[in-house]
Amino acid sequence: MRYVVFLAAMAAQAATAMAGPGPAARAPTLAEQRSFEQFMQRSAPGTPVPPLRLERASDGSKWIASATTDAPPVRLVLPLCRVTRTRYTQQADDSWRADSSQHVWIHHTTSCGMPPATMVELRAPLAEIDMLRLIQAQGELLQRARLLMAGNTSCAPTRSRSFQLRALGRSTDGMFLLGYESDIGSKVEITVRPSRAELTAWNVNCR
């Protein structure tokens, strides 16, 4: 009898393993929703509560609860727009944390409209004209950087992938830095050297 029970338990474990990981997202529980609403009432009274979403951590070990809000977009030097985005994240002790970030994008009309999914995070203070130049030149800089990627062992396997510009910043030596994400989730950083009116892809780092 014990042997039969043992076999049944092993079969159940095998079935669970074959079923694979659970869903990548779910609706918030009533307790999670109330906790977030109470936090918003304390930290930003009168502000509409943004939708709360829960997604699995990359390792599948836990659920991460978060929400985002955007301030009204601001027109910078034409045709550049900027928005401040605030992300609310539930911590391990069930408290909530708010982090703000700046994002920019190109929009060729008077009104900036709604922030697009392709907007770029600003990770260091940059002059508006430099932001515009980098975004406009990023496609050409990426193609030039693919030559550098061929000689980099960590970059070579993904050099032919499709990439999306995600961030602008500065490297530790003060050069411009373009942050990309590939279609398979890998990250690439391209160091850009300015020289008068030219921008040169100087170095790459992949992870």
Side-chain angles (χ1 to χ4, degrees):
M1 183 65 180
R2 290 180 181 178
Y3 182 70
V4 174
V5 172
F6 172 78
L7 289 179
M10 292 297 292
Q13 290 180 4
T16 301
M18 291 177 64
R26 66 169 174 82
T29 64
L30 183 59
E32 290 165 340
Q33 185 65 41
R34 285 179 175 173
S35 173
F36 182 53
E37 290 174 354
Q38 290 171 358
F39 167 78
M40 291 296 295
Q41 289 172 1
R42 294 192 303 270
S43 60
T47 302
V49 178
L52 184 63
R53 61 180 181 273
L54 282 95
E55 299 173 327
R56 282 195 184 275
S58 56
D59 60 1
S61 61
K62 61 180 179 179
W63 290 100
I64 298 176
S66 67
T68 59
T69 58
D70 291 335
V74 176
R75 168 64 72 187
L76 303 180
V77 58
L78 288 173
L80 199 65
C81 294
R82 181 184 66 204
V83 71
T84 299
R85 170 164 289 182
T86 302
R87 185 170 189 262
Y88 305 96
T89 311
Q90 191 173 32
Q91 306 301 293
D93 61 356
D94 293 334
S95 64
W96 291 87
R97 172 177 172 175
D99 297 288
S100 295
S101 54
Q102 301 289 316
H103 301 261
V104 294
W105 70 97
I106 289 177
H107 193 70
H108 294 279
T109 64
T110 305
S111 173
C112 288
M114 294 292 293
T118 55
M119 64 182 182
V120 180
E121 183 179 357
L122 185 62
R123 295 180 178 170
L126 296 177
E128 293 178 14
I129 192 62
D130 289 333
M131 299 180 209
L132 183 59
R133 289 176 61 207
L134 288 167
I135 293 176
Q136 291 177 328
Q138 63 89 17
E140 183 179 351
L141 290 167
L142 175 61
Q143 293 308 313
R144 293 177 182 175
R146 290 185 192 274
L147 298 176
L148 300 175
M149 293 170 69
N152 185 312
T153 55
S154 62
C155 294
T158 58
R159 66 183 291 262
S160 62
R161 307 298 307 192
S162 297
F163 290 93
Q164 177 67 50
L165 181 65
R166 297 299 188 193
L168 300 177
R170 285 193 183 275
S171 62
T172 54
D173 55 8
M175 293 189 192
F176 296 131
L177 199 64
L178 302 181
Y180 290 85
E181 182 178 6
S182 77
D183 54 358
I184 57 173
S186 57
K187 312 293 184 182
V188 175
E189 291 183 338
I190 301 174
T191 304
V192 178
R193 180 180 179 180
S195 178
R196 296 184 180 179
E198 295 185 359
L199 296 171
T200 303
W202 194 251
N203 196 13
V204 291
N205 179 45
C206 300
R207 52 188 173 86

mmCIF file of all heavy atoms in Angstrom, residues 149-182:
data_model
loop_
_atom_site.group_PDB
_atom_site.id
_atom_site.type_symbol
_atom_site.label_atom_id
_atom_site.label_comp_id
_atom_site.label_asym_id
_atom_site.label_seq_id
_atom_site.Cartn_x
_atom_site.Cartn_y
_atom_site.Cartn_z
ATOM 1 N N MET A 149 30.797 44.965 -31.969
ATOM 2 C CA MET A 149 30.230 43.788 -31.308
ATOM 3 C C MET A 149 30.826 42.493 -31.853
ATOM 4 O O MET A 149 30.948 41.501 -31.133
ATOM 5 C CB MET A 149 28.715 43.780 -31.474
ATOM 6 C CG MET A 149 28.005 44.916 -30.747
ATOM 7 S SD MET A 149 26.248 45.079 -31.186
ATOM 8 C CE MET A 149 25.585 43.602 -30.434
ATOM 9 N N ALA A 150 31.200 42.494 -33.129
ATOM 10 C CA ALA A 150 31.767 41.288 -33.737
ATOM 11 C C ALA A 150 33.080 40.896 -33.066
ATOM 12 O O ALA A 150 33.421 39.716 -33.003
ATOM 13 C CB ALA A 150 31.978 41.507 -35.235
ATOM 14 N N GLY A 151 33.816 41.866 -32.565
ATOM 15 C CA GLY A 151 35.090 41.575 -31.918
ATOM 16 C C GLY A 151 35.004 41.440 -30.413
ATOM 17 O O GLY A 151 36.025 41.356 -29.732
ATOM 18 N N ASN A 152 33.774 41.448 -29.868
ATOM 19 C CA ASN A 152 33.562 41.340 -28.428
ATOM 20 C C ASN A 152 32.880 40.001 -28.148
ATOM 21 O O ASN A 152 31.779 39.748 -28.622
ATOM 22 C CB ASN A 152 32.696 42.519 -27.957
ATOM 23 C CG ASN A 152 32.522 42.571 -26.466
ATOM 24 O OD1 ASN A 152 32.212 41.567 -25.824
ATOM 25 N ND2 ASN A 152 32.698 43.754 -25.887
ATOM 26 N N THR A 153 33.553 39.132 -27.385
ATOM 27 C CA THR A 153 33.021 37.775 -27.183
ATOM 28 C C THR A 153 31.654 37.759 -26.519
ATOM 29 O O THR A 153 30.841 36.874 -26.799
ATOM 30 C CB THR A 153 34.000 36.950 -26.333
ATOM 31 O OG1 THR A 153 34.266 37.648 -25.102
ATOM 32 C CG2 THR A 153 35.307 36.736 -27.073
ATOM 33 N N SER A 154 31.353 38.724 -25.658
ATOM 34 C CA SER A 154 30.050 38.749 -24.992
ATOM 35 C C SER A 154 28.967 39.332 -25.893
ATOM 36 O O SER A 154 27.769 39.125 -25.662
ATOM 37 C CB SER A 154 30.125 39.541 -23.682
ATOM 38 O OG SER A 154 30.475 40.895 -23.935
ATOM 39 N N CYS A 155 29.360 40.069 -26.934
ATOM 40 C CA CYS A 155 28.395 40.707 -27.822
ATOM 41 C C CYS A 155 28.158 39.931 -29.118
ATOM 42 O O CYS A 155 27.084 40.031 -29.713
ATOM 43 C CB CYS A 155 28.866 42.108 -28.191
ATOM 44 S SG CYS A 155 28.922 43.290 -26.822
ATOM 45 N N ALA A 156 29.172 39.199 -29.562
ATOM 46 C CA ALA A 156 29.096 38.539 -30.872
ATOM 47 C C ALA A 156 27.848 37.675 -31.065
ATOM 48 O O ALA A 156 27.238 37.711 -32.139
ATOM 49 C CB ALA A 156 30.364 37.709 -31.100
ATOM 50 N N PRO A 157 27.397 36.897 -30.053
ATOM 51 C CA PRO A 157 26.225 36.035 -30.280
ATOM 52 C C PRO A 157 24.934 36.791 -30.580
ATOM 53 O O PRO A 157 24.009 36.218 -31.156
ATOM 54 C CB PRO A 157 26.116 35.250 -28.957
ATOM 55 C CG PRO A 157 27.485 35.286 -28.366
ATOM 56 C CD PRO A 157 28.016 36.627 -28.745
ATOM 57 N N THR A 158 24.844 38.064 -30.177
ATOM 58 C CA THR A 158 23.589 38.806 -30.368
ATOM 59 C C THR A 158 23.734 39.990 -31.316
ATOM 60 O O THR A 158 22.799 40.776 -31.453
ATOM 61 C CB THR A 158 23.063 39.330 -29.012
ATOM 62 O OG1 THR A 158 24.065 40.176 -28.413
ATOM 63 C CG2 THR A 158 22.735 38.188 -28.075
ATOM 64 N N ARG A 159 24.856 40.118 -31.992
ATOM 65 C CA ARG A 159 25.098 41.307 -32.807
ATOM 66 C C ARG A 159 24.108 41.463 -33.956
ATOM 67 O O ARG A 159 23.868 42.582 -34.435
ATOM 68 C CB ARG A 159 26.526 41.295 -33.362
ATOM 69 C CG ARG A 159 26.817 40.201 -34.357
ATOM 70 C CD ARG A 159 28.292 40.243 -34.782
ATOM 71 N NE ARG A 159 28.592 41.414 -35.570
ATOM 72 C CZ ARG A 159 28.644 41.429 -36.908
ATOM 73 N NH1 ARG A 159 28.404 40.313 -37.581
ATOM 74 N NH2 ARG A 159 28.940 42.532 -37.549
ATOM 75 N N SER A 160 23.506 40.354 -34.413
ATOM 76 C CA SER A 160 22.573 40.433 -35.536
ATOM 77 C C SER A 160 21.109 40.551 -35.090
ATOM 78 O O SER A 160 20.206 40.578 -35.926
ATOM 79 C CB SER A 160 22.735 39.197 -36.430
ATOM 80 O OG SER A 160 22.429 38.012 -35.709
ATOM 81 N N ARG A 161 20.854 40.628 -33.781
ATOM 82 C CA ARG A 161 19.485 40.720 -33.283
ATOM 83 C C ARG A 161 18.905 42.111 -33.539
ATOM 84 O O ARG A 161 19.623 43.067 -33.865
ATOM 85 C CB ARG A 161 19.438 40.447 -31.767
ATOM 86 C CG ARG A 161 20.073 39.162 -31.299
ATOM 87 C CD ARG A 161 19.437 37.924 -31.860
ATOM 88 N NE ARG A 161 17.997 37.853 -31.658
ATOM 89 C CZ ARG A 161 17.271 36.755 -31.864
ATOM 90 N NH1 ARG A 161 17.865 35.625 -32.271
ATOM 91 N NH2 ARG A 161 15.975 36.751 -31.669
ATOM 92 N N SER A 162 17.591 42.225 -33.389
ATOM 93 C CA SER A 162 16.933 43.529 -33.454
ATOM 94 C C SER A 162 17.040 44.195 -32.087
ATOM 95 O O SER A 162 16.888 43.534 -31.059
ATOM 96 C CB SER A 162 15.460 43.369 -33.833
ATOM 97 O OG SER A 162 15.330 42.812 -35.115
ATOM 98 N N PHE A 163 17.297 45.512 -32.077
ATOM 99 C CA PHE A 163 17.469 46.243 -30.825
ATOM 100 C C PHE A 163 16.550 47.450 -30.779
ATOM 101 O O PHE A 163 16.246 48.056 -31.809
ATOM 102 C CB PHE A 163 18.922 46.717 -30.670
ATOM 103 C CG PHE A 163 19.914 45.617 -30.414
ATOM 104 C CD1 PHE A 163 20.591 45.019 -31.463
ATOM 105 C CD2 PHE A 163 20.163 45.177 -29.127
ATOM 106 C CE1 PHE A 163 21.500 44.002 -31.236
ATOM 107 C CE2 PHE A 163 21.066 44.160 -28.888
ATOM 108 C CZ PHE A 163 21.747 43.572 -29.944
ATOM 109 N N GLN A 164 16.132 47.783 -29.556
ATOM 110 C CA GLN A 164 15.303 48.963 -29.313
ATOM 111 C C GLN A 164 16.035 49.868 -28.328
ATOM 112 O O GLN A 164 16.483 49.409 -27.276
ATOM 113 C CB GLN A 164 13.943 48.556 -28.737
ATOM 114 C CG GLN A 164 13.037 49.722 -28.379
ATOM 115 C CD GLN A 164 12.574 50.495 -29.602
ATOM 116 O OE1 GLN A 164 12.093 49.907 -30.566
ATOM 117 N NE2 GLN A 164 12.703 51.810 -29.572
ATOM 118 N N LEU A 165 16.157 51.141 -28.656
ATOM 119 C CA LEU A 165 16.792 52.095 -27.745
ATOM 120 C C LEU A 165 15.926 52.271 -26.510
ATOM 121 O O LEU A 165 14.733 52.577 -26.614
ATOM 122 C CB LEU A 165 16.990 53.442 -28.444
ATOM 123 C CG LEU A 165 17.658 54.539 -27.611
ATOM 124 C CD1 LEU A 165 19.085 54.161 -27.262
ATOM 125 C CD2 LEU A 165 17.631 55.873 -28.360
ATOM 126 N N ARG A 166 16.523 52.097 -25.319
ATOM 127 C CA ARG A 166 15.770 52.202 -24.075
ATOM 128 C C ARG A 166 16.234 53.341 -23.175
ATOM 129 O O ARG A 166 15.459 53.826 -22.356
ATOM 130 C CB ARG A 166 15.896 50.889 -23.286
ATOM 131 C CG ARG A 166 15.302 49.664 -23.969
ATOM 132 C CD ARG A 166 13.823 49.831 -24.200
ATOM 133 N NE ARG A 166 13.203 48.595 -24.683
ATOM 134 C CZ ARG A 166 11.986 48.527 -25.186
ATOM 135 N NH1 ARG A 166 11.249 49.619 -25.282
ATOM 136 N NH2 ARG A 166 11.489 47.379 -25.603
ATOM 137 N N ALA A 167 17.508 53.761 -23.287
ATOM 138 C CA ALA A 167 18.018 54.736 -22.321
ATOM 139 C C ALA A 167 19.125 55.600 -22.916
ATOM 140 O O ALA A 167 19.860 55.174 -23.817
ATOM 141 C CB ALA A 167 18.531 54.016 -21.075
ATOM 142 N N LEU A 168 19.222 56.827 -22.396
ATOM 143 C CA LEU A 168 20.321 57.744 -22.677
ATOM 144 C C LEU A 168 21.005 58.075 -21.367
ATOM 145 O O LEU A 168 20.340 58.239 -20.338
ATOM 146 C CB LEU A 168 19.808 59.042 -23.307
ATOM 147 C CG LEU A 168 19.052 58.982 -24.636
ATOM 148 C CD1 LEU A 168 18.586 60.390 -25.017
ATOM 149 C CD2 LEU A 168 19.932 58.408 -25.725
ATOM 150 N N GLY A 169 22.331 58.184 -21.395
ATOM 151 C CA GLY A 169 23.045 58.545 -20.173
ATOM 152 C C GLY A 169 24.475 58.919 -20.476
ATOM 153 O O GLY A 169 24.808 59.317 -21.592
ATOM 154 N N ARG A 170 25.310 58.791 -19.456
ATOM 155 C CA ARG A 170 26.737 59.058 -19.625
ATOM 156 C C ARG A 170 27.531 57.906 -19.019
ATOM 157 O O ARG A 170 27.137 57.333 -17.997
ATOM 158 C CB ARG A 170 27.145 60.370 -18.946
ATOM 159 C CG ARG A 170 26.709 61.612 -19.708
ATOM 160 C CD ARG A 170 27.408 62.850 -19.177
ATOM 161 N NE ARG A 170 26.965 64.055 -19.848
ATOM 162 C CZ ARG A 170 27.467 64.500 -21.002
ATOM 163 N NH1 ARG A 170 28.439 63.809 -21.595
ATOM 164 N NH2 ARG A 170 27.022 65.613 -21.546
ATOM 165 N N SER A 171 28.657 57.599 -19.641
ATOM 166 C CA SER A 171 29.554 56.575 -19.118
ATOM 167 C C SER A 171 30.406 57.166 -18.007
ATOM 168 O O SER A 171 30.375 58.376 -17.750
ATOM 169 C CB SER A 171 30.448 56.038 -20.240
ATOM 170 O OG SER A 171 31.264 57.076 -20.757
ATOM 171 N N THR A 172 31.191 56.321 -17.346
ATOM 172 C CA THR A 172 32.030 56.798 -16.237
ATOM 173 C C THR A 172 33.088 57.794 -16.697
ATOM 174 O O THR A 172 33.552 58.615 -15.912
ATOM 175 C CB THR A 172 32.725 55.609 -15.552
ATOM 176 O OG1 THR A 172 33.432 54.837 -16.540
ATOM 177 C CG2 THR A 172 31.708 54.707 -14.861
ATOM 178 N N ASP A 173 33.476 57.724 -17.970
ATOM 179 C CA ASP A 173 34.466 58.674 -18.489
ATOM 180 C C ASP A 173 33.824 59.903 -19.132
ATOM 181 O O ASP A 173 34.501 60.701 -19.777
ATOM 182 C CB ASP A 173 35.409 57.983 -19.482
ATOM 183 C CG ASP A 173 34.662 57.295 -20.615
ATOM 184 O OD1 ASP A 173 33.431 57.490 -20.712
ATOM 185 O OD2 ASP A 173 35.304 56.569 -21.384
ATOM 186 N N GLY A 174 32.515 60.065 -18.957
ATOM 187 C CA GLY A 174 31.843 61.271 -19.407
ATOM 188 C C GLY A 174 31.305 61.241 -20.819
ATOM 189 O O GLY A 174 30.683 62.214 -21.262
ATOM 190 N N MET A 175 31.525 60.137 -21.559
ATOM 191 C CA MET A 175 30.969 60.041 -22.904
ATOM 192 C C MET A 175 29.464 59.764 -22.831
ATOM 193 O O MET A 175 28.936 59.390 -21.803
ATOM 194 C CB MET A 175 31.660 58.920 -23.687
ATOM 195 C CG MET A 175 33.109 59.171 -24.011
ATOM 196 S SD MET A 175 33.746 57.913 -25.163
ATOM 197 C CE MET A 175 35.502 58.241 -25.079
ATOM 198 N N PHE A 176 28.799 59.949 -23.960
ATOM 199 C CA PHE A 176 27.381 59.598 -24.031
ATOM 200 C C PHE A 176 27.239 58.075 -23.991
ATOM 201 O O PHE A 176 28.130 57.342 -24.412
ATOM 202 C CB PHE A 176 26.754 60.131 -25.318
ATOM 203 C CG PHE A 176 26.751 61.620 -25.427
ATOM 204 C CD1 PHE A 176 27.204 62.248 -26.577
ATOM 205 C CD2 PHE A 176 26.287 62.413 -24.385
ATOM 206 C CE1 PHE A 176 27.198 63.635 -26.683
ATOM 207 C CE2 PHE A 176 26.286 63.802 -24.481
ATOM 208 C CZ PHE A 176 26.746 64.400 -25.630
ATOM 209 N N LEU A 177 26.087 57.626 -23.495
ATOM 210 C CA LEU A 177 25.835 56.190 -23.389
ATOM 211 C C LEU A 177 24.427 55.900 -23.908
ATOM 212 O O LEU A 177 23.454 56.508 -23.469
ATOM 213 C CB LEU A 177 25.960 55.730 -21.932
ATOM 214 C CG LEU A 177 26.168 54.236 -21.689
ATOM 215 C CD1 LEU A 177 27.499 53.778 -22.270
ATOM 216 C CD2 LEU A 177 26.142 53.943 -20.192
ATOM 217 N N LEU A 178 24.339 54.986 -24.856
ATOM 218 C CA LEU A 178 23.053 54.536 -25.385
ATOM 219 C C LEU A 178 22.784 53.131 -24.867
ATOM 220 O O LEU A 178 23.616 52.237 -25.023
ATOM 221 C CB LEU A 178 23.069 54.511 -26.917
ATOM 222 C CG LEU A 178 23.377 55.820 -27.640
ATOM 223 C CD1 LEU A 178 23.333 55.607 -29.153
ATOM 224 C CD2 LEU A 178 22.409 56.916 -27.233
ATOM 225 N N GLY A 179 21.627 52.939 -24.236
ATOM 226 C CA GLY A 179 21.257 51.628 -23.716
ATOM 227 C C GLY A 179 20.190 50.984 -24.584
ATOM 228 O O GLY A 179 19.150 51.581 -24.839
ATOM 229 N N TYR A 180 20.448 49.762 -25.055
ATOM 230 C CA TYR A 180 19.529 49.044 -25.930
ATOM 231 C C TYR A 180 19.078 47.732 -25.292
ATOM 232 O O TYR A 180 19.781 47.161 -24.454
ATOM 233 C CB TYR A 180 20.206 48.692 -27.267
ATOM 234 C CG TYR A 180 20.477 49.871 -28.165
ATOM 235 C CD1 TYR A 180 21.633 50.629 -28.012
ATOM 236 C CD2 TYR A 180 19.593 50.218 -29.179
ATOM 237 C CE1 TYR A 180 21.897 51.706 -28.847
ATOM 238 C CE2 TYR A 180 19.845 51.296 -30.025
ATOM 239 C CZ TYR A 180 21.005 52.034 -29.849
ATOM 240 O OH TYR A 180 21.264 53.097 -30.670
ATOM 241 N N GLU A 181 17.918 47.261 -25.743
ATOM 242 C CA GLU A 181 17.437 45.933 -25.376
ATOM 243 C C GLU A 181 17.103 45.177 -26.655
ATOM 244 O O GLU A 181 16.463 45.727 -27.556
ATOM 245 C CB GLU A 181 16.200 46.021 -24.483
ATOM 246 C CG GLU A 181 15.681 44.663 -24.025
ATOM 247 C CD GLU A 181 14.484 44.769 -23.103
ATOM 248 O OE1 GLU A 181 13.981 45.897 -22.914
ATOM 249 O OE2 GLU A 181 14.033 43.732 -22.587
ATOM 250 N N SER A 182 17.564 43.917 -26.732
ATOM 251 C CA SER A 182 17.332 43.135 -27.940
ATOM 252 C C SER A 182 15.970 42.455 -27.894
ATOM 253 O O SER A 182 15.280 42.467 -26.868
ATOM 254 C CB SER A 182 18.425 42.076 -28.109
ATOM 255 O OG SER A 182 18.199 40.988 -27.228
#
